[in-house]
């Protein structure tokens, strides 16, 4: 894993950030959240971004996914400059090629587990949404929970539904933000085992934000965010 200094986009990379920076003005104070970060990720690679609470890990992930605008720098996702695209174009790119898993699951409470997993397929206009979602629910071990609403599922089951929703579109890259943060140790380990198994089976690239160094050690590389600087790309 290495960052490119070339002007052209390296087509072998799924994700590349160049000189990415973020600062904000807050109550008259200029706050620097991220300082000229470089990061690259090839197909099938995984990287953990670790750092103390409040260090800017989630902000960095939002920038890498094009959910937030940087103060400087650029992000190339699947060879496209995210910030050269319109908001609608970025949304379509994420819809079709990017998976997300969050700490708080972010399932829609009014939809059943199956309907939550069907949603990204339906948004993409897939006519086989029900069949594809059902198969994905089987893969995460929840074929018997298709008609259950999120409130009737345990935290571990809700996160498995979230994994099914993330992987059902066969994403090229997965962004995971503290995916075990709301789970107990045993359940969290099961969820992470499932995440890495699906990631390997699908050949997906993975950006994992975590404060758990043991979890980070399962990735191919570790980057530490300290005082706004992204340090290292190795173990």
């Amino acid at each position: 894993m290495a960052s490119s200094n070339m002007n052209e986009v390296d087509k072998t990379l799924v994700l590349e950030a160049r000189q990415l920076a973020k600062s904000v003005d807050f109550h008259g104070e200029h706050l620097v959240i991220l300082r000229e970060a470089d990061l690259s990720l090839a197909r099938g690679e995984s990287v953990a971004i670790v750092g103390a609470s409040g260090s800017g890990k989630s902000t960095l992930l939002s920038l890498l996914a094009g959910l937030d605008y940087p103060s400087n720098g650029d992000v190339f996702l699947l060879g496209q400059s995210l910030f050269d695209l319109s908001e609608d174009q970025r949304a379509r790119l994420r819809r079709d090629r990017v998976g997300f898993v969050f700490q708080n699951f972010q399932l829609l409470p009014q939809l059943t587990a199956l309907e939550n997993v069907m949603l990204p397929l339906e948004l993409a206009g897939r006519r086989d949404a029900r069949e594809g979602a059902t198969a994905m629910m089987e893969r995460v071990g929840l074929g018997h929970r298709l008609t259950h609403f999120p409130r009737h599922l345990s935290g571990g089951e809700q996160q498995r539904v979230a994994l099914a929703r993330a992987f059902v579109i066969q994403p090229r890259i997965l962004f995971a933000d503290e995916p075990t943060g709301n789970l107990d140790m045993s359940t969290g380990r099961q969820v992470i085992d499932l995440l890495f198994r699906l990631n390997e089976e699908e050949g997906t690239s993975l950006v994992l934000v975590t404060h758990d160094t043991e979890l980070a050690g399962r990735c191919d590389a570790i980057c530490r965010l300290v005082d706004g600087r992204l340090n290292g790309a190795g173990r």
Side-chain angles (χ1 to χ4, degrees):
M1 181 179 300
S3 294
S4 170
N5 292 318
M6 299 182 296
N7 290 327
E8 66 272 15
V9 177
D10 187 338
K11 300 298 185 182
T12 68
L13 296 178
V14 173
L15 177 71
E16 184 178 18
R18 300 179 184 174
Q19 299 290 291
L20 198 61
K22 180 71 175 182
S23 59
V24 296
D25 292 316
F26 184 72
H27 291 306
E29 184 179 0
H30 188 68
L31 301 177
V32 178
I33 301 172
L34 186 65
R35 306 174 188 269
E36 298 181 340
D38 292 317
L39 177 70
S40 62
L41 196 64
R43 177 175 171 81
E45 285 188 333
S46 58
V47 61
I49 299 171
V50 301
S53 178
S55 61
K57 301 187 301 295
S58 294
T59 297
L60 174 57
L61 185 144
S62 293
L63 292 169
L64 294 174
L67 295 168
D68 192 8
Y69 282 91
S71 303
N72 190 48
D74 207 346
V75 175
F76 295 89
L77 184 61
L78 303 174
Q80 298 185 70
S81 169
L82 286 180
F83 306 111
D84 282 345
L85 301 177
S86 69
E87 186 174 341
D88 286 344
Q89 288 172 325
R90 286 195 301 276
R92 284 195 295 272
L93 181 61
R94 287 191 295 265
R95 180 196 70 189
D96 296 337
R97 314 305 291 274
V98 180
F100 292 93
V101 179
F102 300 98
Q103 177 176 337
N104 59 355
F105 319 135
Q106 294 198 1
L107 302 178
L108 295 179
Q110 70 273 26
L111 300 183
T112 65
L114 178 63
E115 288 167 343
N116 267 280
V117 180
M118 288 172 59
L119 187 58
L121 296 177
E122 291 177 327
L123 291 174
R126 291 271 298 272
R127 295 184 177 181
D128 62 342
R130 181 171 295 275
E131 292 79 5
T134 300
M136 196 69 230
M137 286 285 285
E138 294 282 356
R139 287 181 66 185
V140 302
L142 291 177
H144 60 302
R145 290 283 194 266
L146 300 181
T147 60
H148 287 63
F149 291 92
R151 65 182 179 275
H152 299 140
L153 301 174
S154 69
E157 288 173 332
Q158 289 186 64
Q159 195 60 299
R160 281 194 278 165
V161 174
L163 284 175
R165 181 182 59 189
F167 278 101
V168 75
I169 63 168
Q170 297 180 305
R172 292 284 302 278
I173 187 167
L174 178 73
F175 293 102
D177 192 356
E178 299 283 9
T180 62
N182 283 341
L183 305 175
D184 62 71
M185 185 177 297
S186 176
T187 303
R189 187 176 297 114
Q190 294 173 21
V191 166
I192 286 300
D193 286 345
L194 176 61
L195 187 156
F196 276 93
R197 176 169 63 80
L198 291 172
N199 201 64
E200 182 177 2
E201 290 173 358
E202 297 293 333
T204 307
S205 300
L206 171 66
V207 178
L208 172 66
V209 165
T210 183
H211 66 275
D212 185 336
T213 54
E214 181 179 351
L215 172 56
R218 297 185 61 168
C219 292
D220 297 320
I222 300 173
C223 292
R224 291 176 173 82
L225 194 55
V226 181
D227 294 329
R229 298 192 183 280
L230 193 63
N231 301 318
R235 295 187 181 277

